[in-house]
Every structure is written in C-alpha cells, then in structure tokens.
Amino acid sequence: MIIANSLVKSFGDSTAINGIDLQIKKGECFGLLGPNGAGKSTFINMMYGTVQRTGGNLSVFGYDPNIDSRKIKKRLGVVTQENALDESLTVFENMMIYCSFIGLPKLDRKDRINELLKYMNLSHKKDARIQMLSGGMKRRLVFVRALLGNPELLILDEPTTGLDPAVRHLLWGKVRELHANGTTIVLTTHYMHEAEVLCDRLIILNHGKIAAAGSPQKMIEEHTPGYMGIFSLDEKETIKKILSTKNNFIHHEDSSGIYLRSSTLPELTSIHSDYGLTPLQIRPSNLEDVFLKLTGQELSIDA
Amino acid sequence: MLNLSLSFSTWMESVRLCFHITLRNWTVYKKDLIANISPTIADPALVLVSLGLGLGSFITNVEGMTYMQFLAPGLTVATALFTSFFESSYGFYVRMTYENVFKAMLTTPIGVREVVIGEMLWVSLKGAVMAVGVAIVLALCGLMINPWLIPATAIVGLLVALPCGAIGLLSTALVNNINQFQSVYSFIIAPLYFLSGIFFPIANMARPVRIVAEFFPLIHGVRLAQAIFWDKGIAHAFMVSGSILIFQSLVFCSLAYWKIKEKLIA
Ligand SMILES: Nc1ncnc2c1ncn2[C@@H]1O[C@H](COP(=O)(O)OP(=O)(O)O)[C@@H](O)[C@H]1O
Ligand SMILES: [Mg+2]
C-alpha cells in the first residue's frame, strides 16, 4: 500500500529524511517512533504531498504523492500534529466545513457527524465552541474529522502527545477498534509504550534514518532481551561491587537511575536476596530500552 | 474525449473546493460580524466627516465640484483596498501560522491552487460588497450623480480588491514575522492610499510619484470609481482602467500563488 525506496527529504542543506526503505501493507498498524525532530512528520507529510520528497521513490495506493496527491488524499484521513480547528466555530460547524471539503454527499453529512461524535463520546459538545473544549476533547474531535470520509488509511501524527492517561487509553481503544475493522493505520509517536501497545510493526527513526525495524516483540528479543532492574543512583557503590563479581548483567546508567538487564528474572531478584538491595523497579525489557540502546541517551532527553 | 471529460470533472471539483474555502471564510467572518464590519464602515465615515466637512470648508472647488463630491469615489476604492489587504495579509498570516488552518485543509483534496483562488474569491467578493455598502451611504449623502450606477461600484470593488488582496498575500509569503506587515503598510499601502488621487487630483502629483503609482492598482480603481460617481466617460474608463486592473490582478495573483506555494508546500 505504501512503498518507500531510498526516500530522501532535504530542507536546503539540512536533511530531515536520509534514505528510508519501507513497505506498509494493507490492514497493518505501522508505527514511526522517534524523538522530536527525527523526521516523523516530514515522512507523514510526504505521503500526501504537503512535503515534496527530494530523492528516492515513494508510492501510496500506487500513486506518486509528488504528482497525484489529490487522488491519495481522497482515500485517507489525517490526525494532524496540530489540531487546526476553527476556534470561533462550534464543533458541528467545524465538521460540516470538513464534510464540504472532502465532498461528502450533503444528505449524509449530519448523520455521519452525529455518528462519529457519538463514537468519540462528544455528542454532548456538538454545539459548543472549540474554545470551550478541553485538550482531550479537541484531540478526539480531530479524530472525528479524520474519520468523516471513512478512510482506508488513517494517519495519526502524535495522536496522544500531551494528553492525560484517561484520554490516551480511550484513544488507544478506538485505534485498536479501527484497526480490527480493517483500516490501515500509520502512527507516529515518541511514546514507546504507545507503539508497543498499538503497532504490528514499527521503525525507530533517528536523525532521518531507520535505527531499527520489526515487530515490537522481535525488536525487544533482538536488541534487549530479558528483564530490566532499575536501581537508585545512591546504590552506585554496591552495584559496582556486584558487577565486579557477576558479569551476566548488562549495565548502563543515566540521570534517572542505574539499569541492569539480565536474561532471567531470578538473577535480578537475587540482587535483593543476596545484597539486600531493593530495586526501584523490575520489569520485562521494553521498547524504551531498545530505543535507548540504539539511539543513545542524549536523545531521550531531547524527546 | 475521455481525457477531456476527466479534466473537466477535475476542473469542476477544483471550482467546488475554491467555493467551499470562500464559504468557510464567510462562516468564520459572520460569527463576529459587527466587530469585523465596523472598521470598514467607520473608516470612510471618519474621513468623510473630517476631511469632507472639515477640510472641505476651505476647498470650495476641485475640478468644478465640492470637495465632498471629489472625495466620494476614492473612499469607495480605499474601502476595497483596506478590506482586501488586511484580510489577505494579517488575516491569512494568522490562519496560516497561528491557527494552522491550511495544515488541516491540505489533508483534504484541497491543494494550494484552491487555497489561493478561494482566498482571492473571498477578498474580491468582500471588496465588492463593501464598496457597494459605502457607495450606498455616499449616494444617500447626495454624492453620486446617478445613484442607478451603484451596482457598478461592485465591479470596482472587485477589481480593486483582487490585485490588492494578491499584494497582501504576496507580502504574507515574504514577511518573516507578523510585525513586518507594519513596514509593508507604511511603505507601500499608506503611500498608495495618499498618492493615488483619492485626496487631490492625480494631475497635481509629482511626475515620478505618478509613474510609480501607475504600477499599482489603486490609481486605476480611483479613475474607474470617479467615472462612475461623476457619470463621466464610464465606457472608456472600464476599457482602459478596467483592463489594466485585470492585467494587474493576473500578475499579482500569479506572483502570490507562486510564493505562497513555497510557504505551504515544503
Ligand atoms: N518546512 C521545514 N523547513 C525546514 N526544516 C524543516 C521543515 N520541516 C521540518 N524541518 C526539519 O526537519 C527535521 C524533522 O522534523 P519533523 O519531521 O517535524 O520531526 P518530528 O515530526 O519527528 O518531530 C527537523 O530538524 C526540522 O527542523
Ligand atoms: Mg512531528
């Protein structure tokens, strides 16, 4: 459905996307994971021609977005990174304008809007001005807008950034539902957990290049298998002692704590039983660990 | 044949989208109608009272008429200038930069061409309506020789608003921040306003100023409006000044499209 070959985008002399190869299949939920400035939005925008690629090939639904962007745009819905709603208009007015832009038949508009407002739990806000909505409501409304045309492909550019956990979980539920109903989804995020929960496959993007690709489980197995114990920085001395006697831990530390990874759980818990150290956390290794390993710590701070 | 019908339907869709962009602007505009419309009415009224009645009492004869009569056509044109310039400079800039309106719009079948044409359609319609509104008031004050010509001021409003709106759009594409519009206003729009024959006969202006002014739309709009208000040489004015305005519209709109495209498509 989407094929990129050696895709490049330069803005003047800075390169935002630097040679990307990927394929996204119909029905898949595909994630682009990366810190701020990694090139996620640039890639998304290239898919429908708002950013014109400067090198390589890109095909969406078999069309070249540099040329046939309108044909592509008719078949997709986008949750843009910025909400871009008309603040002075009501929820309903905003959606009516979009119905007219995407050319939805006049008679269907009202029903479609009502149906989607209900789906996103916004029916009670139908006549409220955008100014009166909370951040989470606005975000849900942008989802409604993206879904008005019943798109085959749904693009989500940082759909949950800055939202509280309740709204985030609600939106995840909706994304899963849409995915289950066969909508192809391309999602960008800098929340590892979000990618892990939602995506069938993903790439980790760093400085415009693919740092890793695959399913979340495969990536974890490949790069950071096992379990992670996180210890307080105050325990530095003890940990040093442990590491000098045991060499089956993979160790790194940053300002948030000391990280020890091991292939089995008992090895980690033995630290508690043998040395009396209580870890801040013991958990299965996750995408965040993969991410930190592959992209270096300085980036997680940027993100 | 298939090709032809295909491109015709693409063309029709483009027209439909332009129209919906115009409609969108109207929907937003009418939400705050009083605040939006009052400067357009208040400004010419202020000029008319202060200059027309105040200064006018010292000037009893300009080209054989009272100063009020002389001033009236120019005020109609100035209204079209300001309404279109401010809409497509500050207005468009805010929509583009702060409200991200086009980021969302461009995810729909709308392209930059529709954005620009829709915007120009909107400012020219607004210019036409405002010009007629001001002309009605002026006619009621007895400043129009033949009030049956009021509808013709719509064409003047449209033909002035279109190139002036395009100049506004062009400056939107060129400024680096919203404060720079102040310079565009001070160095281009305000001089045009004062030196395009609205306040005193064009013939009295210094020659170099006059030559420069000819390259901008306002002076031609003033000639056209004067012909209509004074009911004098209307056909000739439409043929000459009207053609020049259409030509300038094409030039400024093309430049604006080319520059705005660089802003909206990276
Ligand atoms: N229109 C543009 N002009 C110049 N540079 C840009 C433009 N858009 C993005 N960039 C640059 O490209 C890089 C990637 O940006 P972006 O795709 O927005 O990152 P992300 O969405 O992953 O946070 C950044 O360094 C950004 O500054
Ligand atoms: Mg982004």
Side-chain angles (χ1 to χ4, degrees):
Chain A
M1 195 167 203
I2 299 157
I3 304 170
N5 287 318
S6 331
L7 186 63
V8 172
K9 174 64 194 181
S10 313
F11 296 104
D13 42 1
S14 80
T15 306
I17 295 284
N18 193 0
I20 280 187
D21 293 280
L22 60 79
Q23 290 205 13
I24 301 172
K25 296 186 208 80
K26 196 171 157 59
E28 207 172 17
C29 182
F30 191 89
L32 296 144
L33 191 56
N36 288 334
K40 303 183 297 293
S41 298
T42 302
F43 180 84
I44 294 280
N45 282 300
M46 274 195 279
M47 285 172 55
Y48 54 89
T50 323
V51 168
Q52 302 261 303
R53 69 168 183 281
T54 49
N57 285 311
L58 181 62
S59 145
V60 180
F61 304 125
Y63 298 114
D64 178 344
N66 273 14
I67 301 164
D68 279 325
S69 63
R70 186 179 287 174
K71 286 184 187 137
I72 294 169
K73 291 197 284 186
K74 279 187 177 172
R75 295 165 62 176
L76 53 76
V78 185
V79 170
T80 45
Q81 188 170 348
E82 302 85 1
N83 289 337
L85 294 158
D86 280 317
E87 295 276 330
S88 61
L89 302 183
T90 67
V91 165
F92 186 71
E93 287 166 332
N94 263 283
M95 294 305 109
M96 280 303 268
I97 288 174
Y98 265 77
C99 286
S100 73
F101 289 166
I102 61 176
L104 211 66
K106 269 210 173 71
L107 291 174
D108 303 343
R109 289 179 192 175
K110 252 189 163 154
D111 292 343
R112 182 78 184 137
I113 293 170
N114 287 331
E115 180 192 338
L116 284 170
L117 286 178
K118 198 168 156 208
Y119 183 62
M120 284 291 168
N121 305 340
L122 280 172
S123 296
H124 59 299
K125 292 290 174 186
K126 187 177 164 187
D127 296 313
R129 282 195 185 207
I130 304 299
Q131 288 159 339
M132 303 301 174
L133 303 187
S134 69
M137 289 175 179
K138 285 185 196 173
R139 212 60 190 143
R140 270 140 67 196
L141 186 58
V142 178
F143 266 79
V144 171
R145 185 175 69 191
L147 293 171
L148 284 172
N150 212 353
E152 293 165 56
L153 170 63
L154 183 62
I155 296 176
L156 311 171
D157 196 356
E158 298 194 13
T160 65
T161 298
L163 299 181
D164 67 57
V167 181
R168 183 172 299 159
H169 282 260
L170 179 124
L171 288 177
W172 286 354
K174 299 300 177 190
V175 172
R176 287 182 142 168
E177 249 174 82
L178 291 161
H179 181 36
N181 292 335
T183 310
T184 310
I185 294 167
V186 176
L187 166 121
T188 85
T189 180
H190 53 226
Y191 298 121
M192 320 293 145
H193 184 52
E194 180 163 289
E196 214 170 319
V197 168
L198 296 175
C199 299
D200 303 321
R201 279 196 312 139
L202 57 92
I203 58 171
I204 294 182
L205 213 57
N206 192 20
H207 294 310
K209 285 200 163 118
I210 297 180
S215 73
Q217 286 70 31
K218 263 206 190 120
M219 284 167 82
I220 294 166
E221 274 164 34
E222 189 178 327
H223 298 283
T224 59
Y227 294 84
M228 188 67 92
I230 306 168
F231 297 86
S232 156
L233 285 168
D234 301 334
E235 321 281 13
K236 230 176 207 161
E237 290 309 313
T238 328
I239 300 270
K240 226 180 228 166
K241 242 188 280 166
I242 300 170
L243 286 172
S244 64
T245 55
K246 293 191 168 192
N247 59 359
N248 41 3
F249 290 116
I250 295 162
H251 156 257
H252 88 92
E253 61 181 72
D254 63 21
S255 53
S256 68
I258 301 166
Y259 291 73
L260 294 184
R261 181 161 56 85
S262 131
S263 47
T264 65
L265 197 53
E267 265 178 339
L268 274 176
T269 49
S270 73
I271 291 180
H272 177 59
S273 49
D274 297 357
Y275 299 89
L277 271 191
T278 307
L280 299 173
Q281 214 184 79
I282 290 187
R283 54 163 175 76
S285 168
N286 62 27
L287 266 185
E288 191 153 337
D289 305 322
V290 176
F291 184 84
L292 288 175
K293 182 181 171 195
L294 294 176
T295 63
Q297 285 159 252
E298 91 278 13
L299 282 164
S300 67
I301 294 157
D302 203 23
Chain B
M1 193 58 214
L2 182 75
N3 236 333
L4 199 75
S5 66
L6 206 74
S7 67
F8 180 71
S9 74
T10 322
W11 192 80
M12 280 308 291
E13 176 167 34
S14 190
V15 171
R16 181 185 70 79
L17 291 171
C18 296
F19 168 73
H20 282 299
I21 291 173
T22 304
L23 212 57
R24 177 245 166 234
N25 285 353
W26 163 241
T27 311
V28 175
Y29 183 80
K30 78 177 174 200
K31 276 272 157 169
D32 218 353
L33 197 60
I34 307 290
N36 280 325
I37 233 169
S38 42
T40 338
I41 304 297
D43 290 354
L46 181 69
V47 177
L48 193 67
V49 173
S50 62
L51 290 188
L53 291 177
L55 190 62
S57 60
F58 297 98
I59 307 166
T60 43
N61 182 345
V62 190
E63 298 190 333
M65 56 193 118
T66 68
Y67 191 58
M68 292 271 261
Q69 279 171 326
F70 179 81
L71 203 53
L75 291 182
T76 318
V77 175
T79 303
L81 161 75
F82 288 124
T83 184
S84 60
F85 176 77
F86 283 114
E87 179 76 31
S88 61
S89 57
Y90 285 98
F92 192 93
Y93 189 87
V94 166
R95 262 169 271 160
M96 178 170 81
T97 313
Y98 301 118
E99 299 178 349
N100 290 309
V101 168
F102 305 114
K103 281 204 178 135
M105 244 186 219
L106 290 173
T107 69
T108 72
I110 290 171
V112 177
R113 190 179 43 188
E114 286 79 25
V115 168
V116 170
I117 297 175
E119 202 67 27
M120 289 298 103
L121 185 63
W122 163 241
V123 296
S124 35
L125 287 177
K126 212 172 120 189
V129 171
M130 297 296 180
V132 169
V134 172
I136 290 174
V137 176
L138 295 172
L140 286 174
C141 298
L143 298 173
M144 204 166 178
I145 288 177
N146 180 1
W148 291 107
L149 290 172
I150 286 176
T153 58
I155 302 173
V156 181
L158 191 140
L159 287 178
V160 171
L162 191 53
C164 292
I167 290 173
L169 203 56
L170 188 60
S171 55
T172 299
L174 297 176
V175 296
N176 295 319
N177 62 61
I178 197 162
N179 297 321
Q180 291 181 351
F181 284 124
Q182 193 58 47
S183 312
V184 180
Y185 181 79
S186 303
F187 293 110
I188 298 177
I189 304 302
L192 277 180
Y193 177 49
F194 287 108
L195 301 173
S196 290
I198 294 176
F199 298 103
F200 52 89
I202 294 163
N204 294 3
M205 286 193 296
R207 201 177 153 75
V209 176
R210 236 171 83 182
I211 291 170
V212 173
E214 294 285 343
F215 285 95
F216 289 93
L218 207 56
I219 202 166
H220 307 288
V222 171
R223 290 195 183 112
L224 199 52
Q226 287 176 343
I228 292 168
F229 269 77
W230 303 340
D231 201 358
K232 202 162 71 182
I234 295 178
H236 178 260
F238 266 101
M239 244 151 43
V240 179
S241 304
S243 310
I244 293 173
L245 283 171
I246 289 170
F247 175 72
Q248 289 182 337
S249 299
L250 287 174
V251 172
F252 285 120
C253 285
S254 311
L255 283 175
Y257 168 70
W258 174 49
K259 277 301 178 190
I260 278 292
K261 188 165 182 176
E262 289 178 0
K263 278 269 161 175
L264 295 181
I265 303 274

